[in-house]
Amino acid sequence: MSKFELNKLHISRKKEHLNLSLSHEFSYNSINSGLDDYYFIHNALPEISLDEIDTTITVFGKKLDLPLMISPMVGGIDEAGKINKDLAKAASIAKIAMGVGSQRVAINDKNLKETFKVREIAPDIVLFANLGAVQLNYGFGIKECAGAVDMIGADALFLHLNPLQEALQVEGNHNFENLLEKIKGICEELDKPVFAREIGFGISGEVALKLKMAGVKGIDVGGSGGTPWLEIEKARLENSNLKEAAQFFKNWGIPTSESIKMVKESCPDIFLIASGGVRTGIDVAKAIALGADMAGIALPMLRYVKISINACLSYLKEIETGLRIAMFCIGVSNIRQLKSSLSLKKY
Ligand SMILES: Cc1cc2nc3c(=O)[nH]c(=O)nc-3n(C[C@H](O)[C@H](O)[C@H](O)COP(=O)(O)O)c2cc1C
C-alpha cells in the first residue's frame, strides 16, 4: 500500500473513531475506572476557608489553574481543526493543559498540519504532541518525533501505547518488538520531555518502571473505565474471527484507580497523569489522593466542544467547583496537601 493510501486509511479510521465515540450507544463501559470504589473521610472541622483553596499546579514552569488536561483526541480529519482550536481556546481560558491527537497523518501529509496547530489561539498552555510509539517500528524515528513537537510548538511529546487497540484493527500495526529500546533512543535525542500513555487499558507498575528506566519523564495511565475502546473497535470490525474473539476482551484492562496505584508504587517520583473515566471534580480529587499529579479528560470534552466553547468552560467550572468542595471537606488547602492526604479509603 502506498504512503498516500495508508494515510487515507488512517484518516477514515480517525473519522470512524470520532463518530462512534460520540454516538450514545458507546457511552457505557462494562468496566469502571475504580474511582467509585473510594471515598474520602469527611472532615466536619476542616479549619480552612473554601475561598482560600489553591488548585494550581506548575508543569514545565507554567502555572495551571487546575491539575487537569484535555486528553489527546483528534487531528487530520476535516472537523479536527475547529475541534482542536476550540478545545485549545477552552484550555487557555481555564488555564489547563491539552494534548492533540496522533499527528502521524500530518507527518505523512503536510497539508494536514493545520488541523493540529493551536499555538496562535493558546500561546501559553501546556501542550503535548502525540504519536503512537508503535510507529517507531514502522519507519518513524527522532526526525518524526521532533517534527511532531515542532509542528505545534509542544512542551512535551506523548508516545501512546495501544497494543490491544492495534490488535483489534485488521489494518492495525501489530509489531511491538523491541519498542522499549527505540523509546529510549527518542528520550535521549529529543530536546523535550517524552511522556508515555495508554489510551484506555492502563499501564502496570512493571511497564511504568521499564519506561522510566528508558528515560520517560511522565506516565499517563489511560486506564480502563472510560471511553469503551473495546466496543468502538468491535463496531468497526466486519463479522470475522477477530470480532468473535474481541467480545471476550470486554473486561480487559487495568482500571484507572488501580493503574495509578501501581505506577505510583513502582515510580514514586515520575510525573503521573490519571485518565480513563475521570468525569467529576471528586474523580480528580480521588486520582490526586491516589498519587496522580494531574488528571486527564477526553470524551466529555469532545461532547461539550461539539456544542460550544462555553459548554466546555461550564463543564470545567463544574469540575473545579467539585474539586474545591472536595478539598474543603477533606480539610486540604492545596494540591500538594491533597496528594499526601491519608483521608481516601476503599469502601
Ligand atoms: C475520539 C477519540 C480519539 C482519540 N484519539 C487519541 C489519539 O490519537 N492519541 C491518544 O493518545 N489518545 C487518543 N484518545 C484516547 C484519549 O486520550 C483517552 O486516553 C481515552 O479516551 C480515555 O479517556 P476518557 O475516558 O476521558 O475518554 C482518543 C479518544 C477519543 C474519544
Side-chain angles (χ1 to χ4, degrees), residues 25 38 40 55 65 74-75 78-79 146 154 159 168 177 182 188 199 213 215 233 241 246 277 293:
E25 227 184 295
Y38 289 85
F40 283 110
T55 58
D65 277 1
V74 296
D78 289 344
E79 54 263 67
L159 286 176
L168 294 174
E177 279 176 359
K182 293 181 181 165
E188 281 164 4
I199 58 108
M213 301 303 278
E233 293 301 350
N241 293 341
D293 294 282

Side-chain angles (χ1 to χ4, degrees), residues 2 118 194 206 214 318 325:
S2 74
V118 298
V194 175
E206 197 183 335
E318 174 194 315
I325 295 176

Side-chain angles (χ1 to χ4, degrees), residues 59-91:
V59 183
F60 309 135
K62 297 181 181 179
K63 197 166 170 193
L64 308 189
D65 277 1
L66 285 174
L68 196 63
M69 170 184 79
I70 301 174
S71 299
M73 285 180 281
V74 296
I77 55 179
D78 289 344
E79 54 263 67
K82 178 167 167 48
I83 293 176
N84 274 334
K85 285 180 179 63
D86 286 356
L87 287 173
K89 182 88 194 160

Side-chain angles (χ1 to χ4, degrees), residues 14 21 71-73 102 130 197 199 226-227 229 277 279 298-299:
K14 207 68 195 160
S21 61
S71 299
M73 285 180 281
S102 172
N130 189 304
R197 71 186 312 269
I199 58 108
T227 298
W229 279 109
R279 299 291 178 259
L299 188 52

Side-chain angles (χ1 to χ4, degrees), residues 272-344:
L272 178 49
I273 305 174
S275 70
V278 173
R279 299 291 178 259
T280 67
I282 301 181
D283 286 346
V284 174
K286 288 178 179 174
I288 288 173
L290 283 170
D293 294 282
M294 177 164 104
I297 302 180
L299 188 52
M301 292 305 302
L302 187 62
R303 294 212 160 117
Y304 284 114
V305 84
K306 295 292 275 182
I307 302 169
S308 66
I309 296 174
N310 274 342
C312 288
L313 290 172
S314 158
Y315 176 55
L316 291 170
K317 197 75 207 161
E318 174 194 315
I319 301 264
E320 178 185 347
T321 306
L323 173 62
R324 279 182 187 283
I325 295 176
M327 289 170 72
F328 180 56
C329 294
I330 304 163
V332 295
S333 45
N334 58 47
I335 298 297
R336 191 178 41 79
Q337 286 176 11
L338 176 59
K339 233 183 133 182
S340 54
S341 158
L342 298 175
S343 53
L344 191 69

Side-chain angles (χ1 to χ4, degrees), residues 123-325:
D124 301 324
I125 60 168
V126 168
L127 184 62
F128 287 88
N130 189 304
L131 285 175
V134 73
Q135 293 317 312
L136 301 175
N137 274 351
Y138 290 85
F140 277 26
I142 184 63
K143 183 166 156 262
E144 288 73 19
C145 291
V149 169
D150 291 346
M151 185 192 302
I152 61 165
D155 298 287
L157 172 69
F158 270 135
L159 286 176
H160 66 260
L161 295 161
N162 58 341
L164 181 53
Q165 184 181 39
E166 297 283 352
L168 294 174
Q169 294 170 354
V170 176
E171 76 289 0
N173 293 133
H174 298 162
N175 178 12
F176 274 64
E177 279 176 359
N178 301 322
L179 269 190
L180 189 65
E181 200 49 36
K182 293 181 181 165
I183 293 173
K184 184 166 180 262
I186 301 300
C187 293
E188 281 164 4
E189 288 185 66
L190 194 72
D191 63 356
K192 297 282 178 185
V194 175
F195 280 38
R197 71 186 312 269
E198 238 290 351
I199 58 108
F201 299 98
I203 291 186
S204 69
E206 197 183 335
V207 167
L209 189 57
K210 284 184 187 167
L211 290 164
K212 187 190 152 188
M213 301 303 278
V216 162
K217 297 288 183 235
I219 301 275
D220 178 349
V221 299
S224 294
T227 298
W229 279 109
L230 196 275
E231 299 301 328
I232 291 172
E233 293 301 350
K234 214 172 80 194
R236 295 183 59 247
L237 290 168
E238 305 290 330
N239 280 336
S240 66
N241 293 341
L242 187 53
K243 192 170 182 123
E244 292 293 311
Q247 65 185 317
F248 298 107
F249 284 83
K250 72 176 194 300
N251 293 327
W252 192 271
I254 312 170
T256 298
S257 60
E258 288 309 299
S259 191
I260 301 168
K261 279 171 59 186
M262 288 174 179
V263 176
K264 187 68 198 168
E265 204 179 307
S266 68
C267 310
D269 299 326
I270 205 157
F271 192 92
L272 178 49
I273 305 174
S275 70
V278 173
R279 299 291 178 259
T280 67
I282 301 181
D283 286 346
V284 174
K286 288 178 179 174
I288 288 173
L290 283 170
D293 294 282
M294 177 164 104
I297 302 180
L299 188 52
M301 292 305 302
L302 187 62
R303 294 212 160 117
Y304 284 114
V305 84
K306 295 292 275 182
I307 302 169
S308 66
I309 296 174
N310 274 342
C312 288
L313 290 172
S314 158
Y315 176 55
L316 291 170
K317 197 75 207 161
E318 174 194 315
I319 301 264
E320 178 185 347
T321 306
L323 173 62
R324 279 182 187 283
I325 295 176

